[in-house]
Amino acid sequence: MNTTIVIYGSSTGTCEAIAEKIASKLGCEALNVQDLTADIVAANQNLILGTSTWGAGELQDDWYDGLKMLQGADLSGKTIALFGCGDCSSYSDTFVGGMGELYNAIKNCGAKFIGAVETDGYTFDDSEAVIDGKFIGLPLDDINEDDKTDTRIEAWIAAISPELA
């Protein structure tokens, strides 16, 4: 089986808790992006990347250095899945925009991206994370829709797991 790691950036702990939940279900480690090294990237075939969203749809602060490191790493042939945390009520016009920024920064890295999610069932006005009518990863609002988080994670993991093997 290919090695997998969940890498997250979290300011309040919400994205960290979700990353740990995803890692537990996948049987792998969750790592704060602050601790990410080129050796860790090289050692893992599958990268599950998660970020919270701040301000007007911006990436979580710790990810800026992490992105520089990822952009300098060889990601060709790797499999990447994304998840993002956001607030679909207060920030419905930039919902999970951080996930969109993460994708845009590394989309041309040679990796295979998996885990797109239909927008059905989500309430939002706009998102940089929607491409061709789908979210580019798993969007979660653990503040306003916490009752849907576990179900959404389970469905997403079931969808991506075969591609991580």
Side-chain angles (χ1 to χ4, degrees), residues 21-153:
K21 198 177 285 191
I22 291 169
S24 173
K25 291 180 182 303
L26 290 172
C28 67
E29 179 186 356
L31 180 77
N32 189 312
V33 69
Q34 292 176 317
D35 301 321
L36 185 62
T37 65
D39 289 342
I40 292 170
V41 172
N44 289 278
Q45 176 61 33
N46 304 314
L47 307 174
I48 313 295
L49 310 177
T51 184
S52 50
T53 300
W54 292 94
E58 295 152 17
L59 196 59
Q60 192 272 344
D61 287 343
D62 297 334
W63 265 110
Y64 290 104
D65 288 336
L67 271 181
K68 288 177 190 169
M69 201 279 309
L70 283 177
Q71 289 168 330
D74 181 10
L75 300 178
S76 58
K78 295 198 181 284
T79 300
I80 296 177
L82 305 172
F83 68 95
C85 301
D87 181 338
C88 67
S89 179
S90 298
Y91 298 96
S92 67
D93 59 336
T94 59
F95 181 54
V96 295
M99 182 169 65
E101 277 198 27
L102 190 54
Y103 173 76
N104 287 330
I106 59 172
K107 67 183 177 185
N108 297 319
C109 67
K112 173 185 175 185
F113 284 86
I114 62 169
V117 173
E118 296 288 341
T119 59
D120 299 344
Y122 288 90
T123 304
F124 67 102
D125 292 322
D126 194 20
S127 177
E128 185 181 342
V130 174
I131 297 174
D132 296 329
K134 289 184 176 184
F135 286 104
I136 45 117
L138 175 64
L140 297 166
D141 181 345
D142 205 46
I143 305 302
N144 300 296
E145 299 180 338
D146 59 322
D147 58 320
K148 298 176 181 178
T149 298
D150 288 339
T151 304
R152 287 174 171 165
I153 290 171

